Amino acid sequence: MATNKVRTRFAPSPTGYMHVGNLRTALYAYLKAKHEDGTFILRIEDTDQERYVEGAVDIIYNTLRETGLLWDEGPDIGGPVGPYVQSERMSMFKGYAEQLVEKGEAYYCFCDKERLDEMRLVQKASGQAPHYDGHCRNLPKEEVEAKLAAGVPYVIRQKVPQTGTTSFEDVVFGHIEVDNSTLDDQILIKTDGMPTYNFANVVDDHLMGITHVIRGSEYLSSTPKYNLLYQAFGWDIPTYIHCPPVMKDAQNKLSKRNGDASYQDLVAKGYLTEAVLNYILLLGWSPKGEREIFNLKEMVEIFDEHGIGKAPAIFDPLKLRAINAEYIRALSPETFAEKAAPYIDEAVKTECDRKLLCSVLQQRCEVLSDIPGQIDFIDELPDYDLELFRSKKMKTTPETAKEALEAALPVLEGIENFTQENIHEALFALIAEKGVKNGWMLWPLRVAVSGKQFTPGGGVELSAILGKERTLERIRAAIGRLA
């Protein structure tokens, strides 16, 4: 399929959850296509049945839809170069491999498992890297035809040049050149007639008119072999954009097996989809300027693949939290209340001022899953240490706390309409009358009603959230404990 238009693809294997690195590849492929007013294609590479996970295709669809990375062509919506599921394309690959055999760019290999195992043992013993030794590379045509006629099992191997070099330009890593002598005669078609991943990938990318291949840098070493296939067919070679790995730390890659977060895990932990996508954008890619918060439309406008760095990207949970916090602050109060509701319900079963609770939480939580731990005092006051009333910063002690609470109690009892504004007005009048600092009065109130040092709001807000009856009950209990 010849085209001047940019065509990118995301070609995941349905092997489980959507990993952060996988989603980043999808994002960059989407952004490159959309920035150039091109086409973004979804292709499902499901030929590895041993690793196939039931339901994983739905996870791919759902993740891309949730994040807004909507494809222009794909399995569910079709397009001019379908089918878009690799297992439905199987019948065509063998014919392409046979074309290469006719051109002298590939050959039939009849080596059985025993011979190959023995070859590898010898190579290992002599310290050689495992590779096919070319035993069937130059078999006479008559011998090949006789073996095929006799039904001897075979694979089709790529005939890689044994001298010279193969080179290519990568947008991220620059000029890459390898000696052909280091490349193996890779298998293109297996004994069952099915293509290998590497072969199917090249043929599919060509037939789908892919102009820019965006993928992880682990494929850099395979790319020379891919390019030799393109050249053997006489096809145009795409532009390569290899992205550095996403690492947990300097030594370890992010891995689901190591318990590292997938996209689904992060959303389940209370991260906002938009924040996760924004953070993934910055994993190995740098915008021009200081700004780091972008919605998807803005990402499309500013994306330039030359901003992708070579260095591995370290997944920084603190940076993700900070970005998520910015997105939480930017939500409308109604949207925040809707997203926070399940987390509040987890911790609070009794009546309280939900609207006020949401307004203080929105300013103080970084991830929605922080919420239950911040408000677990609402239903039931935890047992607290009287030393919490001691604060160097607020210049309070258990003794001054008792004095402050005893002064505040009748003032709060006298408020008929127990709103935040009325509580604030009454207590600040008391503070002025006594000539004390705000913290001297308000710190003991916060501790008395929450039993905590750190809360999503101050004593005034917490009192209004709890309501008059519970607030007074807790202040009286605190005075009793401080006596």
Side-chain angles (χ1 to χ4, degrees), residues 240-438:
Y240 291 109
I241 303 168
H242 285 91
C243 304
V246 180
M247 307 287 282
K248 183 176 188 166
D249 51 44
Q251 283 79 38
N252 301 293
K253 277 189 174 183
L254 273 190
S255 156
K256 182 73 181 169
R257 267 172 295 185
N258 296 339
D260 297 322
S262 66
Y263 165 77
Q264 283 73 20
D265 292 331
L266 292 172
V267 170
K269 286 176 180 173
Y271 288 92
L272 303 181
T273 292
E274 299 80 3
V276 173
L277 201 65
N278 193 152
Y279 177 66
I280 286 173
L281 170 74
L282 304 172
L283 272 178
W285 179 85
S286 301
K288 291 171 179 147
E290 297 299 306
R291 188 177 159 208
E292 290 193 319
I293 303 297
F294 305 99
N295 62 34
L296 187 55
K297 186 166 177 277
E298 291 166 334
M299 291 181 204
V300 168
E301 287 167 16
I302 62 164
F303 186 73
D304 173 1
E305 62 271 26
H306 295 93
I308 300 171
K310 293 181 192 178
I314 306 290
F315 187 90
D316 180 354
L318 293 179
K319 176 95 181 264
L320 173 58
R321 279 184 76 90
I323 288 176
N324 199 69
E326 289 206 40
Y327 273 85
I328 282 178
R329 308 283 181 268
L331 293 173
S332 71
E334 296 74 26
T335 304
F336 176 78
E338 188 184 313
K339 290 184 182 296
Y343 297 91
I344 295 173
D345 291 343
E346 191 184 313
V348 178
K349 312 294 182 203
T350 56
E351 282 291 312
C352 69
D353 185 336
R354 283 279 185 121
K355 191 174 179 185
L356 180 55
L357 178 61
C358 283
S359 79
V360 296
L361 284 172
Q362 186 170 3
Q363 297 313 309
R364 289 171 176 83
C365 85
E366 295 183 333
V367 182
L368 295 172
S369 56
D370 292 345
I371 290 173
Q374 290 182 329
I375 60 174
D376 56 3
F377 64 88
I378 289 177
D379 281 3
E380 201 173 323
L381 191 66
D383 280 338
Y384 55 86
D385 185 347
L386 296 184
E387 281 301 304
L388 288 176
F389 288 103
R390 191 185 302 281
S391 168
K392 270 188 184 173
K393 187 180 172 189
M394 303 299 177
K395 297 187 170 51
T396 63
T397 65
E399 293 72 32
T400 65
K402 180 171 179 285
E403 187 186 337
L405 292 173
E406 284 175 339
L409 182 60
V411 170
L412 295 172
E413 283 173 335
I415 300 172
E416 278 191 33
N417 187 11
F418 206 73
T419 63
Q420 182 183 346
E421 294 75 16
N422 291 345
I423 296 166
H424 183 277
E425 192 181 319
L427 287 177
F428 275 79
L430 177 62
I431 287 165
E433 181 192 313
K434 290 186 76 68
V436 293
K437 296 267 198 238
N438 296 349

Side-chain angles (χ1 to χ4, degrees), residues 131-266:
H131 63 281
Y132 181 64
D133 61 2
H135 180 74
C136 294
R137 186 178 168 110
N138 297 304
L139 291 179
K141 192 177 180 191
E142 301 72 33
E143 187 179 340
V144 171
E145 285 172 356
K147 285 179 183 291
L148 290 174
V152 177
Y154 65 86
V155 297
I156 297 179
R157 287 183 183 273
Q158 181 178 2
K159 190 180 269 191
V160 173
Q162 292 173 311
T163 59
T165 60
T166 298
S167 63
F168 67 99
E169 298 298 321
D170 183 76
V171 168
V172 177
F173 289 88
H175 185 75
I176 306 281
E177 188 167 311
V178 297
D179 289 327
N180 291 333
S181 60
T182 65
L183 301 176
D184 199 9
D185 283 0
Q186 66 176 343
I187 294 172
L188 306 179
I189 299 292
K190 298 178 281 191
T191 48
D192 60 4
M194 293 294 107
T196 56
Y197 170 84
N198 285 335
F199 186 55
N201 208 270
V202 167
V203 174
D204 280 345
D205 279 350
H206 168 72
L207 294 177
M208 292 186 174
I210 303 304
T211 60
H212 293 72
V213 171
I214 300 174
R215 61 185 174 211
S217 58
E218 66 269 23
Y219 290 101
L220 269 173
S221 59
S222 304
T223 302
K225 288 190 277 193
Y226 294 161
N227 285 356
L228 288 168
L229 286 172
Y230 280 107
Q231 288 163 3
F233 280 116
W235 295 343
D236 289 341
I237 293 173
T239 298
Y240 291 109
I241 303 168
H242 285 91
C243 304
V246 180
M247 307 287 282
K248 183 176 188 166
D249 51 44
Q251 283 79 38
N252 301 293
K253 277 189 174 183
L254 273 190
S255 156
K256 182 73 181 169
R257 267 172 295 185
N258 296 339
D260 297 322
S262 66
Y263 165 77
Q264 283 73 20
D265 292 331
L266 292 172

